Amino acid sequence: EEEKEKSGQAQLEAQLWEEVLQNCRIVQYPKDMLESWMELERTVYQQYADTLDMTFEEVLDSCKITEEDLTEIAKIDVDYVLISAAICEKEGIDPANSMYQQKQEEILESLGYVNQEEALTDGATAQRITATVQKACAAQIMLDACSKVDK
């Protein structure tokens, strides 16, 4: 029963994000942010390459993606980052907020970390952690809004 509820909530969250992404238009991508996320995407694929003893290009070929695809993936990442940050700002959610702290703790714990410092020491970036926590907070805000409408 609990698993079914989690699945339903995850499906609703995905639908909400799809709707939000379709209805939001990013007028201009902050160049430094887009470049940073593009570098993060490249790093992920380079790590795959290193692990698999392949070249970066071989990994991209095996995944059937191009450098241009990585740029598009980074743009989608930045869409989530900008939209999540805007939702959190509008709702007054910042690192001092209890929802933010709770989501950060849940996320870090699910990844096997005791705290943010441990994740940073292990190679995570503060940028990625913040973006992930803000996305989780934004999703919770949207889910809460839906449950208010349903009542």
Side-chain angles (χ1 to χ4, degrees):
E1 186 68 30
E2 184 179 326
E3 196 63 35
K4 191 175 181 180
E5 185 177 322
K6 282 183 182 180
S7 175
Q9 187 167 344
Q11 186 175 14
L12 175 58
E13 182 180 329
Q15 290 170 336
L16 288 168
W17 274 116
E18 183 177 332
E19 188 74 22
V20 168
L21 289 170
Q22 286 177 358
N23 288 296
C24 288
R25 196 176 110 234
I26 307 299
V27 178
Q28 183 175 357
Y29 290 92
K31 185 178 179 184
D32 60 333
M33 181 183 283
L34 185 57
E35 287 175 359
S36 175
W37 283 91
M38 285 169 52
E39 187 57 37
L40 283 170
E41 290 300 331
R42 283 189 198 97
T43 299
V44 167
Y45 285 92
Q46 184 60 57
Q47 288 171 343
Y48 290 151
D50 294 345
T51 301
L52 299 170
D53 198 26
M54 297 170 72
T55 67
F56 178 76
E57 292 74 20
E58 289 171 334
V59 168
L60 291 185
D61 286 344
S62 72
C63 293
K64 296 183 180 12
I65 61 174
T66 65
E67 282 275 349
E68 292 79 25
D69 294 331
L70 288 182
T71 300
E72 290 306 309
I73 293 167
K75 281 183 178 179
I76 293 168
D77 289 342
V78 172
D79 289 348
Y80 279 108
V81 170
L82 294 173
I83 293 166
S84 297
I87 291 170
C88 287
E89 182 179 333
K90 183 180 182 311
E91 296 297 324
I93 306 296
D94 62 27
N97 180 277
S98 62
M99 176 193 285
Y100 186 100
Q101 292 171 1
Q102 177 188 356
K103 293 294 181 189
Q104 179 172 303
E105 186 178 304
E106 288 171 5
I107 290 164
L108 291 172
E109 184 179 296
S110 74
L111 297 171
Y113 299 114
V114 175
N115 55 38
Q116 181 169 329
E117 291 72 33
E118 186 179 347
L120 293 171
T121 301
D122 197 35
T125 65
Q127 176 187 30
R128 183 78 78 167
I129 293 169
T130 298
T132 303
V133 173
Q134 285 182 329
K135 183 180 176 196
C137 290
Q140 188 63 56
I141 291 164
M142 291 187 293
L143 288 167
D144 289 349
C146 284
S147 70
K148 288 179 185 174
V149 170
D150 286 345
K151 291 180 180 179

CSV table of all heavy atoms in Angstrom, one decimal, residues 73-103:
chain,number,residue,atom,x,y,z
A,73,ILE,N,20.8,18.4,-22.8
A,73,ILE,CA,20.6,17.8,-21.5
A,73,ILE,C,21.0,18.9,-20.4
A,73,ILE,O,20.2,19.1,-19.5
A,73,ILE,CB,21.5,16.6,-21.3
A,73,ILE,CG1,21.0,15.4,-22.2
A,73,ILE,CG2,21.5,16.1,-19.8
A,73,ILE,CD1,21.9,14.3,-22.3
A,74,ALA,N,22.0,19.6,-20.6
A,74,ALA,CA,22.4,20.7,-19.7
A,74,ALA,C,21.4,21.8,-19.7
A,74,ALA,O,21.0,22.3,-18.6
A,74,ALA,CB,23.8,21.3,-20.1
A,75,LYS,N,20.8,22.1,-20.8
A,75,LYS,CA,19.7,23.1,-20.8
A,75,LYS,C,18.5,22.7,-20.0
A,75,LYS,O,17.9,23.5,-19.3
A,75,LYS,CB,19.3,23.4,-22.3
A,75,LYS,CG,20.2,24.4,-23.0
A,75,LYS,CD,19.7,24.7,-24.4
A,75,LYS,CE,20.7,25.6,-25.1
A,75,LYS,NZ,20.2,26.0,-26.4
A,76,ILE,N,18.2,21.4,-20.1
A,76,ILE,CA,17.0,20.9,-19.4
A,76,ILE,C,17.4,20.9,-17.9
A,76,ILE,O,16.5,21.3,-17.0
A,76,ILE,CB,16.7,19.4,-19.8
A,76,ILE,CG1,16.1,19.5,-21.2
A,76,ILE,CG2,15.7,18.8,-18.8
A,76,ILE,CD1,16.0,18.1,-21.9
A,77,ASP,N,18.6,20.6,-17.5
A,77,ASP,CA,19.1,20.7,-16.1
A,77,ASP,C,18.9,22.1,-15.6
A,77,ASP,O,18.4,22.4,-14.5
A,77,ASP,CB,20.5,20.3,-16.0
A,77,ASP,CG,20.8,18.8,-16.1
A,77,ASP,OD1,19.8,18.0,-16.0
A,77,ASP,OD2,21.9,18.4,-16.4
A,78,VAL,N,19.3,23.1,-16.4
A,78,VAL,CA,19.3,24.5,-16.1
A,78,VAL,C,17.8,24.9,-16.0
A,78,VAL,O,17.5,25.7,-15.1
A,78,VAL,CB,20.1,25.4,-17.0
A,78,VAL,CG1,19.9,26.9,-16.8
A,78,VAL,CG2,21.6,25.0,-16.9
A,79,ASP,N,16.9,24.4,-16.8
A,79,ASP,CA,15.5,24.7,-16.7
A,79,ASP,C,15.0,24.3,-15.3
A,79,ASP,O,14.3,25.1,-14.7
A,79,ASP,CB,14.7,23.9,-17.8
A,79,ASP,CG,14.9,24.4,-19.2
A,79,ASP,OD1,15.4,25.5,-19.4
A,79,ASP,OD2,14.4,23.7,-20.1
A,80,TYR,N,15.3,23.1,-14.9
A,80,TYR,CA,14.9,22.7,-13.6
A,80,TYR,C,15.5,23.6,-12.5
A,80,TYR,O,14.8,23.9,-11.5
A,80,TYR,CB,15.3,21.2,-13.3
A,80,TYR,CG,14.4,20.2,-13.9
A,80,TYR,CD1,14.8,19.4,-15.0
A,80,TYR,CD2,13.2,19.9,-13.3
A,80,TYR,CE1,14.0,18.4,-15.6
A,80,TYR,CE2,12.4,18.9,-13.9
A,80,TYR,CZ,12.8,18.2,-15.0
A,80,TYR,OH,12.0,17.2,-15.5
A,81,VAL,N,16.8,23.9,-12.6
A,81,VAL,CA,17.5,24.7,-11.6
A,81,VAL,C,16.8,26.1,-11.5
A,81,VAL,O,16.5,26.5,-10.4
A,81,VAL,CB,19.0,24.9,-12.0
A,81,VAL,CG1,19.6,25.9,-11.1
A,81,VAL,CG2,19.7,23.6,-11.8
A,82,LEU,N,16.6,26.7,-12.7
A,82,LEU,CA,16.0,28.1,-12.6
A,82,LEU,C,14.6,28.1,-12.1
A,82,LEU,O,14.2,28.9,-11.3
A,82,LEU,CB,16.1,28.7,-14.0
A,82,LEU,CG,17.5,29.0,-14.6
A,82,LEU,CD1,17.4,29.4,-16.0
A,82,LEU,CD2,18.2,30.0,-13.7
A,83,ILE,N,13.8,27.1,-12.6
A,83,ILE,CA,12.4,27.1,-12.2
A,83,ILE,C,12.3,26.7,-10.7
A,83,ILE,O,11.5,27.3,-10.0
A,83,ILE,CB,11.6,26.1,-13.1
A,83,ILE,CG1,11.5,26.6,-14.5
A,83,ILE,CG2,10.2,25.8,-12.5
A,83,ILE,CD1,11.1,25.6,-15.6
A,84,SER,N,13.0,25.7,-10.3
A,84,SER,CA,13.0,25.3,-8.9
A,84,SER,C,13.4,26.5,-8.0
A,84,SER,O,12.8,26.8,-6.9
A,84,SER,CB,14.0,24.1,-8.6
A,84,SER,OG,13.5,23.0,-9.3
A,85,ALA,N,14.5,27.2,-8.4
A,85,ALA,CA,15.0,28.3,-7.6
A,85,ALA,C,13.9,29.4,-7.5
A,85,ALA,O,13.7,30.0,-6.4
A,85,ALA,CB,16.3,28.9,-8.2
A,86,ALA,N,13.2,29.7,-8.6
A,86,ALA,CA,12.2,30.7,-8.6
A,86,ALA,C,11.0,30.3,-7.7
A,86,ALA,O,10.5,31.1,-6.9
A,86,ALA,CB,11.7,30.9,-10.0
A,87,ILE,N,10.6,29.0,-7.8
A,87,ILE,CA,9.5,28.5,-6.9
A,87,ILE,C,9.9,28.7,-5.4
A,87,ILE,O,9.2,29.2,-4.6
A,87,ILE,CB,9.1,27.1,-7.2
A,87,ILE,CG1,8.5,27.0,-8.6
A,87,ILE,CG2,8.2,26.5,-6.1
A,87,ILE,CD1,8.3,25.6,-9.1
A,88,CYS,N,11.2,28.2,-5.1
A,88,CYS,CA,11.6,28.3,-3.7
A,88,CYS,C,11.7,29.7,-3.3
A,88,CYS,O,11.3,30.1,-2.1
A,88,CYS,CB,13.0,27.6,-3.6
A,88,CYS,SG,12.9,25.8,-3.7
A,89,GLU,N,12.2,30.6,-4.1
A,89,GLU,CA,12.3,32.0,-3.7
A,89,GLU,C,10.9,32.6,-3.5
A,89,GLU,O,10.7,33.3,-2.5
A,89,GLU,CB,13.0,32.8,-4.8
A,89,GLU,CG,13.2,34.3,-4.5
A,89,GLU,CD,13.9,35.1,-5.6
A,89,GLU,OE1,14.7,34.5,-6.3
A,89,GLU,OE2,13.7,36.3,-5.7
A,90,LYS,N,10.0,32.3,-4.4
A,90,LYS,CA,8.6,32.8,-4.2
A,90,LYS,C,8.0,32.4,-2.9
A,90,LYS,O,7.3,33.1,-2.2
A,90,LYS,CB,7.8,32.4,-5.4
A,90,LYS,CG,6.3,33.0,-5.3
A,90,LYS,CD,5.5,32.5,-6.5
A,90,LYS,CE,4.1,33.1,-6.5
A,90,LYS,NZ,3.4,33.0,-5.3
A,91,GLU,N,8.3,31.1,-2.5
A,91,GLU,CA,7.7,30.5,-1.3
A,91,GLU,C,8.6,30.7,0.0
A,91,GLU,O,8.2,30.2,1.0
A,91,GLU,CB,7.5,29.0,-1.5
A,91,GLU,CG,6.5,28.7,-2.6
A,91,GLU,CD,5.1,29.2,-2.3
A,91,GLU,OE1,4.7,29.1,-1.2
A,91,GLU,OE2,4.4,29.6,-3.3
A,92,GLY,N,9.7,31.5,-0.2
A,92,GLY,CA,10.5,31.7,1.0
A,92,GLY,C,11.3,30.6,1.5
A,92,GLY,O,11.6,30.5,2.7
A,93,ILE,N,11.6,29.6,0.6
A,93,ILE,CA,12.4,28.4,1.0
A,93,ILE,C,13.9,28.7,0.7
A,93,ILE,O,14.3,28.9,-0.5
A,93,ILE,CB,11.9,27.2,0.1
A,93,ILE,CG1,10.4,27.0,0.2
A,93,ILE,CG2,12.7,26.0,0.5
A,93,ILE,CD1,9.9,26.6,1.6
A,94,ASP,N,14.6,28.7,1.8
A,94,ASP,CA,16.1,28.9,1.6
A,94,ASP,C,16.8,27.9,2.6
A,94,ASP,O,16.1,27.1,3.3
A,94,ASP,CB,16.5,30.3,1.9
A,94,ASP,CG,16.1,30.8,3.4
A,94,ASP,OD1,16.1,29.9,4.3
A,94,ASP,OD2,16.0,32.0,3.6
A,95,PRO,N,18.1,27.8,2.6
A,95,PRO,CA,18.8,26.8,3.4
A,95,PRO,C,18.4,26.9,4.9
A,95,PRO,O,18.6,25.9,5.6
A,95,PRO,CB,20.3,27.1,3.2
A,95,PRO,CG,20.3,27.7,1.8
A,95,PRO,CD,19.0,28.5,1.7
A,96,ALA,N,17.9,28.0,5.4
A,96,ALA,CA,17.5,28.1,6.8
A,96,ALA,C,16.1,27.5,7.1
A,96,ALA,O,15.7,27.3,8.2
A,96,ALA,CB,17.6,29.5,7.3
A,97,ASN,N,15.4,27.3,6.0
A,97,ASN,CA,14.0,26.8,6.1
A,97,ASN,C,14.0,25.3,6.5
A,97,ASN,O,14.8,24.5,6.0
A,97,ASN,CB,13.3,27.1,4.8
A,97,ASN,CG,11.9,26.6,4.7
A,97,ASN,OD1,11.6,25.4,4.5
A,97,ASN,ND2,11.0,27.5,5.0
A,98,SER,N,13.0,25.0,7.3
A,98,SER,CA,12.9,23.6,7.8
A,98,SER,C,12.6,22.6,6.6
A,98,SER,O,13.2,21.5,6.6
A,98,SER,CB,11.9,23.4,8.9
A,98,SER,OG,10.6,23.7,8.3
A,99,MET,N,11.8,23.0,5.6
A,99,MET,CA,11.6,22.1,4.5
A,99,MET,C,12.9,21.8,3.7
A,99,MET,O,13.2,20.7,3.4
A,99,MET,CB,10.5,22.7,3.5
A,99,MET,CG,10.4,21.8,2.3
A,99,MET,SD,9.4,22.5,0.9
A,99,MET,CE,7.8,22.5,1.5
A,100,TYR,N,13.6,22.9,3.5
A,100,TYR,CA,14.9,22.7,2.8
A,100,TYR,C,15.8,21.8,3.6
A,100,TYR,O,16.4,20.9,3.0
A,100,TYR,CB,15.6,24.1,2.6
A,100,TYR,CG,16.8,24.1,1.8
A,100,TYR,CD1,16.8,24.5,0.5
A,100,TYR,CD2,18.0,23.7,2.3
A,100,TYR,CE1,17.9,24.5,-0.3
A,100,TYR,CE2,19.2,23.7,1.5
A,100,TYR,CZ,19.1,24.1,0.2
A,100,TYR,OH,20.2,24.1,-0.6
A,101,GLN,N,15.9,22.0,4.9
A,101,GLN,CA,16.8,21.2,5.7
A,101,GLN,C,16.4,19.7,5.7
A,101,GLN,O,17.2,18.8,5.6
A,101,GLN,CB,16.9,21.8,7.1
A,101,GLN,CG,17.6,23.1,7.2
A,101,GLN,CD,17.5,23.7,8.5
A,101,GLN,OE1,16.9,23.2,9.5
A,101,GLN,NE2,18.1,24.9,8.7
A,102,GLN,N,15.1,19.5,5.8
A,102,GLN,CA,14.5,18.2,5.8
A,102,GLN,C,14.8,17.5,4.4
A,102,GLN,O,15.3,16.3,4.4
A,102,GLN,CB,13.0,18.2,6.0
A,102,GLN,CG,12.4,16.8,6.0
A,102,GLN,CD,10.9,16.8,6.1
A,102,GLN,OE1,10.3,17.9,6.2
A,102,GLN,NE2,10.3,15.7,5.9
A,103,LYS,N,14.6,18.2,3.3
A,103,LYS,CA,14.8,17.6,2.0
A,103,LYS,C,16.3,17.3,1.8
A,103,LYS,O,16.6,16.2,1.3
A,103,LYS,CB,14.3,18.5,0.9
A,103,LYS,CG,12.8,18.6,0.9
A,103,LYS,CD,12.1,17.3,0.5
A,103,LYS,CE,10.6,17.4,0.5
A,103,LYS,NZ,9.9,16.1,0.3
